[in-house]
């Protein structure tokens, strides 16, 4: 079984920065794509950024140039550096990990989320 735990959320003023972390643990043979998603009140969950095992990244247009996703494969951890935060970035941020639990068996896990609130 694979577990994913996010950390680093909080309250920040507009224009400020936060760094989210997400650590995967459990029976993991190797890591595949990891990503961050967010869900604001009354809205559907949306993709924020993803990063493949080789480091290729993908961002939502709304965060390009402000957010940076990175990963440490040895630590099975993915990060999201968020700069120039806006009130519309307020949401619960979820981490997703796509992993191999054996050489040919994939598994996917979601964290419980961490709240990010951007407000003055």
């Amino acid at each position: 079984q694979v577990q994913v735990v996010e950390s680093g959320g909080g309250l920040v003023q507009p224009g400020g920065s936060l760094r989210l972390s997400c650590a995967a643990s459990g029976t993991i043979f190797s890591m595949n794509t990891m990503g961050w998603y967010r869900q604001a009140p009354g809205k559907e969950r949306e993709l924020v950024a993803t990063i493949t095992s080789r480091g290729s990244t993908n961002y939502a247009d709304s965060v390009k140039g402000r957010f940076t996703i990175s990963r440490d494969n040895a630590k099975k951890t993915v990060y999201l550096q968020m700069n120039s935060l806006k009130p519309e970035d307020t949401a619960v941020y979820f981490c997703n990990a796509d992993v191999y639990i054996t050489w040919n068996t994939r598994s996917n896990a979601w964290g419980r989320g961490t709240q990010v609130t951007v407000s003055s």
Side-chain angles (χ1 to χ4, degrees):
Q1 189 174 0
V2 178
Q3 298 84 39
V4 175
V5 178
E6 305 98 336
S7 61
L11 172 65
V12 63
Q13 292 186 345
S17 298
L18 279 177
R19 189 191 193 209
L20 305 183
S21 298
C22 166
S25 62
T27 305
I28 298 174
F29 179 76
S30 66
M31 304 293 295
N32 198 13
T33 297
M34 299 183 77
W36 288 96
Y37 297 74
R38 67 186 181 186
Q39 187 167 17
K43 295 187 177 181
E44 294 186 352
R45 189 174 298 187
E46 63 177 4
L47 179 146
V48 176
T50 60
I51 184 167
T52 68
S53 59
R54 295 186 177 185
S56 296
T57 59
N58 179 53
Y59 295 94
D61 287 343
S62 59
V63 306
K64 283 182 181 177
R66 299 188 298 123
F67 291 10
T68 302
I69 189 170
S70 61
R71 64 190 288 164
D72 184 330
N73 289 328
K75 295 182 178 179
K76 299 183 178 63
T77 299
V78 64
Y79 306 96
L80 186 67
Q81 178 67 42
M82 305 186 294
N83 299 327
S84 303
L85 282 161
K86 304 175 181 180
E88 51 263 44
D89 294 317
T90 297
V92 178
Y93 283 69
F94 297 89
C95 178
N96 179 268
D98 188 69
V99 306
Y100 284 92
I101 57 175
T102 69
W103 71 274
N104 65 345
T105 304
R106 290 173 69 173
S107 181
N108 189 278
W110 288 92
R112 293 187 175 184
T114 184
Q115 176 71 46
V116 172
T117 302
V118 185
S119 175
S120 55

